[in-house]
Amino acid sequence: MSQSKKFETNAIRTQIERSQHSEHSVPLYLTSSFVFDDAEDMRASFAEEKEKNIYSRFTNPNASEFVEKICKMEGAEAGYAFATGMAAVFGTFAALLNSGDHILSARAVFGSTHTLFTKYFPKWNIQTSYFDVSDLDQFEGLITPNTKMIYAESPTNPGLQVLDLERLGVLAKKHNLILVIDNCFATPYLQQPIAFGADLVIHSATKLIDGQGRVLGGVTVGRSDLIREIYLFARNTGPSISPFNAWTLSKSLETLAVRVDKHCDNAEKVVDFLVTHNAVEEVRYPFHHDHPQYEIAKRQMKRGGNVIAFQVKGGLAGGQRFIDAVQLCSRSSNLGDTRTIVTQPAFSTHSKLSEEDRLAVDITGGLIRISVGLEHTDDIINDLRFALDAVL
Ligand SMILES: *Cc1c(COP(=O)(O)O)cnc(C)c1O
């Protein structure tokens, strides 16, 4: 009997076959290749007349199990897992775009994605222009005859702007453009962009999906015709995920819902504290009522996530004093870890951008991004209070 299952169940129970050992937990298939029963089995496998693993650069049971879970969570037809989030981002573009194509991207995207647009894609005659997430009225004016793809993150990194996914989904359909959403900050637990019209969803699984700062990974899921192209590109160029990382990430998904709920509980408490401290000038959190796109966030997200952006007094120097003063929180560029992490984007993740480009996406010197972890909130808040006092 086939029943449709809820998110938490799909995160734990999959159809993967057990070996003769009848293991309960899915084992790690650390093998580069697979064997065939006979010549006909080999022929039929290569001809894709049967679904069989051939070589782990193409597919591997651990990668397939991880992808199956993400597809169920995102409501996607198919997917492919990559070695890193950036391999997923690049593999998606490289598989689907041709020389002469044009991408319309949200202005604020992950630093390395921005570098793809500015440094590498022009070499292959792929041009990018940018739209403002908060001003979709301007969007249609930016479409050109060779626009092929729309690319965006929501919430954005690090400014936490929220994009109206439903409205963008309608615009993508109207103009027959492929809508790709990097859903890393929200995770499939908090937001499912395909329901709002996205064709493809990308995750850096390195962040909240792993959630414990251990392994890198990425995944693209969505329309099966597009995933087929992405799979063929990846199978021939080799950015595939390792079985070990896929196994680790698949295990992590089993606890995604409980972890992300706790991350959100903690983040909400940290927001409530930050707004009271007089070294803090502005707090940005999707589910805080002051957020400019609060209503949109409420419509499309289950909760606000674990990342908070805030402005400290004293600009760049104030930000540095804060970063220097934390004792519990980690100074790191990662996010979505059990450990709370503080970053000053102007000096780290977004230092490659010109100051003008940074300011266009609200990355001022005093902007701090905090990825709230799973430590006790009393300890997180005490550390933040201590560091913020040092700014004044
Ligand atoms: C980290 C991140 C990426 C890149 O992922 P890696 O796994 O580090 O390659 C892409 N997009 C967003 C929004 C990210 O936060």
Side-chain angles (χ1 to χ4, degrees), residues 244-289:
F244 178 77
N245 285 9
W247 176 84
T248 307
L249 293 167
S250 189
K251 290 272 161 234
S252 297
L253 285 176
E254 296 183 10
T255 57
L256 184 73
V258 283
R259 284 189 288 107
V260 172
D261 265 330
K262 183 68 177 163
H263 274 291
C264 293
D265 292 345
N266 288 3
E268 286 164 9
K269 286 187 187 150
V270 170
V271 169
D272 288 344
F273 158 71
L274 287 172
V275 295
T276 65
H277 199 286
N278 57 12
V280 175
E281 285 179 334
E282 192 199 334
V283 179
R284 212 26 106 75
Y285 183 68
F287 268 39
H288 185 56
H289 54 80

Side-chain angles (χ1 to χ4, degrees), residues 350-389:
H350 291 70
S351 59
K352 301 281 189 301
L353 271 65
S354 67
E355 189 172 358
E356 194 190 341
D357 283 348
R358 275 202 296 270
L359 290 178
V361 290
D362 297 338
I363 305 176
T364 52
L367 183 79
I368 300 292
R369 182 185 79 188
I370 167 162
S371 164
V372 179
L374 299 180
E375 305 97 332
H376 198 288
T377 42
D378 289 353
D379 295 324
I380 300 171
I381 289 168
N382 280 341
D383 192 40
L384 295 175
R385 183 182 295 112
F386 176 81
L388 285 167
D389 288 347

Side-chain angles (χ1 to χ4, degrees), residues 84-86 110 153 182 184-185 204 206-207 217:
T84 66
M86 280 321 298
F110 186 66
E153 300 168 12
D182 179 335
C184 172
F185 271 44
S204 165
T206 312
K207 312 295 168 51

Side-chain angles (χ1 to χ4, degrees), residues 170-239:
V170 169
L171 289 168
K173 286 277 172 308
K174 179 175 166 197
H175 295 278
N176 197 24
L177 305 173
I178 302 169
L179 176 58
V180 184
I181 299 293
D182 179 335
N183 201 26
C184 172
F185 271 44
T187 81
Y189 180 60
L190 300 179
Q191 171 175 282
Q192 292 113 30
I194 290 170
F196 300 103
D199 298 291
L200 293 170
V201 170
I202 297 179
H203 283 284
S204 165
T206 312
K207 312 295 168 51
L208 284 152
I209 289 179
D210 173 58
Q212 288 143 88
R214 301 168 300 185
V215 299
L216 294 122
V219 64
T220 303
V221 300
R223 257 169 59 189
S224 54
D225 59 325
L226 302 175
I227 294 294
R228 173 75 185 162
E229 290 305 315
I230 292 166
Y231 163 69
L232 291 174
F233 174 82
R235 137 175 190 159
N236 287 294
T237 56

